[in-house]
Amino acid sequence: MISSDTIRGYNDTFLLSLLSEGDSYGYALSKEIKDRTDGKYSIKETTLYSAFTRLKKNGFIEAYPGDETQGRKRTYYRITKDGIHYLKEKQKEWEITKIVVDQLVGGKKGEYYKRLHRANL
Amino acid sequence: MISSDTIRGYNDTFLLSLLSEGDSYGYALSKEIKDRTDGKYSIKETTLYSAFTRLKKNGFIEAYPGDETQGRKRTYYRITKDGIHYLKEKQKEWEITKIVVDQLVGGKKGEYYKRLHRANL
DNA sequence: CTAAGTACAACGACAGACGTAGTAAAGATA
DNA sequence: TATCTTTACTACGTCTGTCGTTGTACTTAG
């Protein structure tokens, strides 16, 4: 199980990405994250709702009440234009981050080969 | 420029990875990180030295004084066996993290969900 | 009736990153 | 000679996302 701290700051992006596929609410988004990662990552409730608060404050999402006739009333969320813009920025950032971290964490086959070669010089 | 918060928690791993190639000291490691990422990421001084403190406390590195005949005396760092073990764990974690985040940030055509299953991680 | 699942909110604590400042020694420049 | 730049740290306080804990409330299954 990946810890949330490992991918700190990307929870907002995960939520925006899911909301970019359609409006949803807390519990459904939480389940979706767990399902899509095959249970390898899940967002904590407190993290989830504090993320909603932050995203609202930043104008990246809008909340509206659901019209459930049964069950407890849900709060639905809709991504805004600013949210879509932010999402795209973070998607680009992630692509760069992957490359940067790959170069620094090491541990890849190719890297070992190069190091071995260098050591033998 | 990638922010340190984006890759929070991986600074320790970066340092351990570099030290796994050979002993080094603060400034050299800082430069190496900047160079290897083509300037796309750099570690702040305070972050660097607080990382050293943490790594020492965890027994992942050992410090020893350099024997420079000129210039200010440096503190060199050497990775320990525990450090190597931790590094390998984090390298594995990173491979999983990449797949997990790829699946959730979106913006790419979904090859990754299949990869997650195929990778058997 | 009770337990489990759904759907949130409030509060405080923690840890890594970071801004600011200060210390110190050497070499380069004017 | 003076000072500016580079190297090499240490100390201290702040910020922010995450998370543990607790509480509330409504619904369905057994």
Side-chain angles (χ1 to χ4, degrees):
Chain A
M1 182 72 133
I2 308 270
S3 94
S4 201
D5 232 50
T6 302
I7 46 187
R8 185 186 170 94
Y10 270 87
N11 278 316
D12 291 24
T13 306
F14 298 162
L15 295 172
L16 288 177
S17 180
L18 292 175
L19 289 174
S20 76
E21 296 175 18
D23 297 5
S24 192
Y25 56 95
Y27 202 78
L29 290 164
S30 172
K31 284 271 182 244
E32 193 65 24
I33 285 172
K34 198 168 188 176
D35 289 349
R36 290 200 190 195
T37 60
D38 206 31
K40 287 179 182 59
Y41 180 64
S42 64
I43 191 168
K44 299 286 178 300
E45 277 186 58
T46 39
T47 304
L48 178 71
Y49 291 106
S50 74
F52 284 146
T53 306
R54 189 168 43 245
L55 287 166
K56 270 187 283 183
K57 206 186 72 185
N58 291 332
F60 296 157
I61 59 170
E62 284 166 355
Y64 61 94
D67 59 348
E68 289 74 27
T69 49
Q70 66 212 44
R72 182 169 172 186
K73 292 286 164 58
R74 298 164 185 156
T75 302
Y76 279 79
Y77 299 97
R78 177 194 301 129
I79 191 167
T80 65
K81 274 194 176 162
D82 282 358
I84 291 167
H85 180 73
Y86 177 78
L87 172 60
K88 285 180 180 167
E89 290 297 307
K90 293 294 278 187
Q91 285 171 340
K92 278 182 215 163
E93 186 196 76
W94 172 243
E95 292 304 314
I96 299 169
T97 301
K98 265 194 291 185
I99 297 166
V100 162
V101 177
D102 268 340
Q103 275 163 343
L104 292 174
V105 294
K108 298 273 224 168
K109 278 182 190 173
E111 291 290 318
Y112 281 139
Y113 182 75
K114 271 186 249 172
R115 274 183 226 153
L116 204 65
H117 234 260
R118 239 181 289 143
N120 285 342
L121 289 177
Chain B
M1 182 74 136
I2 308 272
S3 93
S4 201
D5 231 49
T6 303
I7 46 189
R8 182 188 172 96
Y10 270 87
N11 278 316
D12 291 26
T13 306
F14 297 161
L15 295 171
L16 288 177
S17 181
L18 293 174
L19 288 174
S20 76
E21 297 176 18
D23 298 3
S24 192
Y25 56 95
Y27 201 78
L29 289 164
S30 172
K31 285 269 183 247
E32 192 66 24
I33 285 172
K34 199 167 187 177
D35 288 350
R36 290 200 189 195
T37 61
D38 206 30
K40 287 182 184 55
Y41 180 63
S42 65
I43 192 168
K44 300 286 180 300
E45 275 188 61
T46 40
T47 304
L48 178 71
Y49 290 107
S50 72
F52 284 146
T53 306
R54 189 167 45 244
L55 288 165
K56 270 188 282 184
K57 205 186 72 186
N58 292 332
F60 296 156
I61 59 169
E62 284 166 356
Y64 61 93
D67 59 347
E68 288 75 27
T69 48
Q70 67 212 42
R72 181 166 172 186
K73 291 285 164 61
R74 299 164 183 156
T75 302
Y76 279 79
Y77 299 98
R78 175 194 303 128
I79 191 168
T80 65
K81 272 191 177 163
D82 283 357
I84 289 166
H85 180 73
Y86 176 78
L87 171 61
K88 284 179 180 167
E89 289 298 307
K90 292 294 278 186
Q91 284 170 340
K92 278 182 215 161
E93 186 196 77
W94 171 242
E95 292 304 313
I96 299 169
T97 301
K98 263 194 294 185
I99 297 168
V100 162
V101 176
D102 268 338
Q103 179 53 35
L104 292 172
V105 295
K108 287 246 166 179
K109 296 297 175 186
E111 261 300 305
Y112 296 109
Y113 189 61
K114 285 176 197 166
R115 260 181 69 199
L116 189 64
H117 283 275
R118 218 184 302 133
N120 195 28
L121 297 168

